[in-house]
Amino acid sequence: RVKIMSTPIRIPVETRFPLDLAVSIAPIDDLYQDAKLDTWSPESDITWAALDRKAFSPKQLDAARYVWSRRAWLQYTGITETPALLLRFCLERSRAVDAKYFLTVRNTEEAMLVECFHDYAELLGGYVDRPADPRWEALISRGYYRDALDAETSLDAYVAVHCAIESGLELELFRAYSRNAREPVARSVLQRSERVKARHAKFGWQYLGKRMPELSEDERSTIVRAANTWLMEVALSGYHVPSLSTSIDYGIEERAQTLAAESGLGAATPSQEQDIVRAYLSSARARFRDMGLRFTALRHPRLGEL
């Protein structure tokens, strides 16, 4: 059973004026313009009828529908998180308007991906509405929208963790899913997903790069602590990559991922995902070092020292 969080949070008091609507982070404005031009519809731009179910065994279809259902569960986080993050940006004084504009389109993109992942799972044999092991529910139900709104949570640390590190990891994972997708519908959905994830990751890293020179040493330390906490409690506990969990049996997920990946239905094997996490975290740490942030080494039983 998922624990319902009922502790009140403190929401910042709005400080709107002076209201500055001038472009201040041109690369993020470019992402906003690009997202507006990259318009598509899951209903009309994905050729759902191209899936030939007869080309796959029932076991292959069943494995893939579980993988894609889990993908929808994770993506659904953005439906509540992004509006909360947008509200937080609007409540705080002097936050760049470019970021606010971009978050409006990010939420639309997240909704379209949820629809695609859900509909593809349905097409494969039926969307699965919850994990086989209920312990996954507590890990997946993170309540990010509360953290985004909480005045006691550093907004810069939140962006660093969830918009830069996490979005960047998602992008690398989706690139692997896309490379493994031979079935045409899966490939089409994942190619569009890649474009979306690339914009989301660029937003996080570009905003963080703009803010970094303005942050104090205490604020930088807060980012490091938030990143390490998220990595240990979420990323390295199986949230994106189930095989990293050390407390929840990931056997069902492992078998489903492996079979779906081998069948060309848009997945990656657990070993491929682990390699991606290891390589990505190494590159992310290098980017942070270039920004003047130093992270202590972390250790995971399967990935070793990170």
Side-chain angles (χ1 to χ4, degrees), residues 31 171 175 193-203:
L31 290 175
L171 171 60
R175 282 173 171 162
S193 301
E194 248 190 282
R195 294 207 303 268
V196 168
K197 297 292 183 181
R199 278 193 290 268
H200 296 183
K202 285 178 181 178
F203 163 75

Side-chain angles (χ1 to χ4, degrees), residues 51 60 69 124 137 174 305:
L51 172 64
Q60 289 173 321
S69 295
L124 291 165
E137 297 186 25
F174 271 80
E305 186 171 291

Side-chain angles (χ1 to χ4, degrees), residues 5 10 20 28 44 53 70 81 86 112 114 123 176 188 216 224 241 261 265 270 285 298 304:
M5 297 176 288
R10 188 168 65 88
D20 184 1
I28 291 181
S44 60
R53 286 175 49 87
R70 191 180 196 279
E81 179 209 14
L86 173 58
M112 291 193 295
V114 170
L123 200 60
S188 178
S216 67
V224 172
V241 178
L265 288 165
R285 291 168 74 89
L298 301 176

